[in-house]
Structure formats: C-alpha cells, structure tokens
Amino acid sequence: MKKMTALLLSACVAMGSLAAQGTKETAPVAPKGPVDIKISTWTSNKDQIAILDSFVREFAQKKGIEIHADFETITFAEYTTKLSLELQGNSAPDAYWVLENTAPAFIASGYMADLTDALQAYDYSDFSQPAMGLWVKNGRTYGVPFSTSPFFVLYNEDLFAKAGQKTPSEMASDGTWTWENFRKTSKAIKDATGVYGFQTVDGGGYDARILHNLIPIVRAYGGDAWDDQGNVKINSKESVAAIKLFHDMVYEDGSVVPPGDQSDFYAGAAAMTVGQVSRVSKLADGSFKWGMAPMPSGSAGSSAVIGQAAIAANAKGKNVGLAKELVAYMTNKDCVARIAGIWPPARKSVLESEGFLSSNKLVTPQQMKTAVAASIKSGRVLPSHIKYPQIEVESKMVWDKLWNKDADVQAICDEVAKVYTKYVK
C-alpha cells in the first residue's frame, strides 16, 4: 500500500506537469441549479463535519445557489493513496485536505488550483506568512492551512498520582520537563502501576507516523531528518542519540506501548501520548482526570513540532471556480475563529485574540497558552519534500528494522540516510 502511494502520487506529478504545459485551469462558470460538491477529509468526527458543512451552507446562501455537500472521510493511513487515485478518476473531490509533508508533491502535480485571486476578498494579509510557506509557490497560493496545530503531551493525571510522580505540567513549570525525565517518569509509572507510560501519536509511531513520533525527540537533541539545504542529518550523533532514547524506552524499559500492542491512552491504558487540539474531544467523556503540557525539551532546547493541514481546490474538477471561492470562504476570519478550538488556524488576528485561548471548552486558557499558542510561535513543521511519498515508502522498509530489541540504531540510521540522500540532495 505504501509503495502504491508513492507510485500514484508520482503519477499525479507527472500527469499534472504534462497537463500544465498545454492547458490552463478551467475558467469559473456561474453554476445553474443545484450543485454537488465533494469534499475529502480524514476526520470522521460528526461534530467537526457539521461545522464544515455549516460553512458550505453559508457560502451557498451568500452566492444565492443551492449546494449539496458530500463529505468523504478517508482513514488517515490510506488518505494520500486513495486521494491520489480519486484525483485521476471520475470520483475526484472538488476540494480536499492536504498534509504538510505531501504539499510540494501535490502542488507539483497540478491538481491544486491557484487560490490567490479568490483569497483577496478575505484579507489575505492576515495570514501568517511563515504558516503559509509550504503552500505558496512563485508568489501564488495553492492551499490554505485550516490547521496549524502543534503536538503536545496529553497525560493521565490519575496514573501520575498513583505512581507518585510529578506531572508533565509541574515539570514544565519548574524547568525539569526534559526527554530524559520523560523516560524516567514513563518507567516509574510502568513499574508502579503496570500501565504503559507512553503511547505514540495515534498509536502509529511504528508505521504511518514514524516521523511524527521521532522528529520531536530528534530536534530536541539538535538533529533532524534533513535541513532546508538538503543536508541529511538523520544519522548524525544527535539524531541517533535521540532515536536510541526512544528505542531503549521500548525495549529496555518496557515503558512504551510496543509494536502490535493496541493499548490506548484514551482508554486509560497508557499514562501519556502525543496529541493535538483536535484529539482532545476524545477525552470529553473520559474516565480519568487528564492534563496537557508542551513537548519535553532536550539539549538543543524546545522540541515543538507543528502538524499542518491545508484545504485545496481541485484544479481539474468539475466545479473548479466554485471550489476556489468555497475554499476562500471556509478559511475567512469568521469561519476559522469558529474552528480555532479544534484546528488552530494560520490567521494572525485569530491566534492573537483572547477568544482563541478560551475557544475549546475542554482546554483551559492557560493550557491553550502554554501548550498550543506558545508552541505555534516556536515550532516547526514536519519535514516535507516534493519526493516525500517515495522517501516515506523506501525509508519505511528500513525503519521496520529498528523495531526489535537488538537493532543497531546507528547502522539503521545510516541506511535511512542513504534513502534520504537519494532524494533530497
């Protein structure tokens, strides 16, 4: 499946490049009668989809037309694969979400419509330019981040109390919230309670979210996957030390939910996990007291990492003109202010407002300030590249070797580095 993802997105890039040489985007045509609009996402949360649907209905009223919106949910692990297939077929969406790490590839494919003109009606200058960086090419905008959401630690306060350990928030306050103490605390909780100390983000740290899991630790130690100049750093001493810390937590300490184990933080089966604001809703009816804290720091300082997702219009869709206007409307100040408590937006006026800090009823203003707002300012997005789908497929086969007790971390990182170098140099 992963190999298919790379092949499909490579085909998208090739086909888009060829198409771009001989055609331009379809000129907007005023629709007559009801219009069916398909929007692809990876959320299955009914409340979230209902909010997005309300934006479509408002836009339809503004335009004076009838729009029937079909929200398609594709599971995260299969999202890029299935979306790539749909964009080349008859079931293509008119608008769709795009992950930050595939942004360069999707823009190059020609399937992301130029939104620049459509966005002018909604105060384009209000967008944070750093946050827009991945989505602008040659001065033209092809996607709008609806979510610029940092990763942070969610923790089960009851388990910390039972194990007699300081909480991440307490350690963050007194300056001791480091990855080394994260490791010590995880083991102490496992030893005292029998419950795992940590579950990787969405339980996908060994598969679909390898870099989501490793990059926060790696960057905290001064390493990275690669830098903006194409220098591969995944096998540097800093990166290897960070990855070894996590590997030792899994195989020496036994404090991390291991590969193949379905123990879930949200069900009380782990003391900590990495989450984003959109995942806090899972704790609304939880059976335990919980808290949230920034990611731990390392020898290089903070390890804030931002997960970003944008919405785009299909440049080759049946309703491209209307879809571009819809995307622009859904990301205006009023709309993003209403979803800021779920997906922190890229609009400065919203992020800097007092309303943002109290926008999620499950999160206190102080938590929003320290774990979210501060991390947005200091954090960096995950690694991305036009060849990311190929990088992910080939490196995944190497990363798989890491998940055993006797793995040679340095040797595996050296092998991953060869894969990265092949594409990013």
Side-chain angles (χ1 to χ4, degrees), residues 333-348:
K333 289 182 184 179
D334 179 63
C335 288
V336 300
R338 283 183 275 162
I339 60 173
I342 307 170
W343 300 301
R347 284 193 174 273
K348 294 178 290 185

Side-chain angles (χ1 to χ4, degrees), residues 139-160:
R140 310 301 290 180
T141 302
Y142 295 90
V144 183
F146 66 88
S147 179
T148 298
S149 189
F151 293 99
F152 48 71
V153 173
L154 289 167
Y155 61 90
N156 183 323
E157 194 168 318
D158 293 343
L159 285 172
F160 275 81

Side-chain angles (χ1 to χ4, degrees), residues 170-366:
E170 290 170 335
M171 284 186 274
S173 295
D174 65 23
T176 59
W177 185 222
T178 63
W179 282 104
E180 288 81 2
N181 284 334
F182 171 87
R183 178 184 179 181
K184 291 176 183 177
T185 301
S186 295
K187 186 176 188 304
I189 290 173
K190 182 64 161 59
D191 291 345
T193 69
V195 177
Y196 287 112
F198 178 64
Q199 178 196 22
T200 63
V201 56
D202 292 340
Y206 309 104
D207 186 22
R209 291 186 178 272
I210 293 172
L211 291 189
H212 292 75
N213 178 48
L214 294 179
I215 287 299
I217 314 175
V218 166
R219 286 183 178 167
Y221 277 79
D224 212 331
W226 58 82
D227 62 22
D228 293 339
Q229 288 71 48
N231 299 307
V232 172
K233 303 176 71 175
I234 197 65
N235 62 334
S236 68
K237 65 178 181 180
E238 295 85 1
S239 296
V240 172
I243 294 168
K244 190 173 189 309
L245 180 146
F246 176 75
H247 186 271
D248 288 348
M249 287 181 67
V250 179
Y251 295 103
E252 286 190 9
D253 302 348
S255 61
V256 179
V257 177
D261 191 304
Q262 301 302 309
S263 298
D264 183 27
F265 165 81
Y266 297 98
M272 292 181 284
T273 193
V274 170
Q276 292 169 290
V277 177
S278 59
R279 291 162 176 78
V280 170
S281 61
K282 293 183 177 183
L283 295 166
D285 300 314
S287 59
F288 55 86
K289 189 176 181 181
W290 60 274
M292 55 192 284
M295 297 296 284
S297 63
S299 57
S302 170
S303 59
V305 172
I306 295 172
Q308 196 174 60
I311 185 168
N314 182 2
K316 303 181 188 345
K318 298 176 183 177
N319 304 295
V320 60
L322 191 66
K324 289 195 291 187
E325 291 184 56
L326 175 59
V327 169
Y329 181 83
M330 294 177 78
T331 54
N332 69 33
K333 289 182 184 179
D334 179 63
C335 288
V336 300
R338 283 183 275 162
I339 60 173
I342 307 170
W343 300 301
R347 284 193 174 273
K348 294 178 290 185
S349 62
V350 177
L351 288 174
E352 294 169 359
S353 69
E354 288 297 321
F356 172 66
L357 299 180
S358 57
S359 58
N360 189 311
K361 64 181 181 180
L362 298 175
V363 181
T364 68
Q366 183 61 33

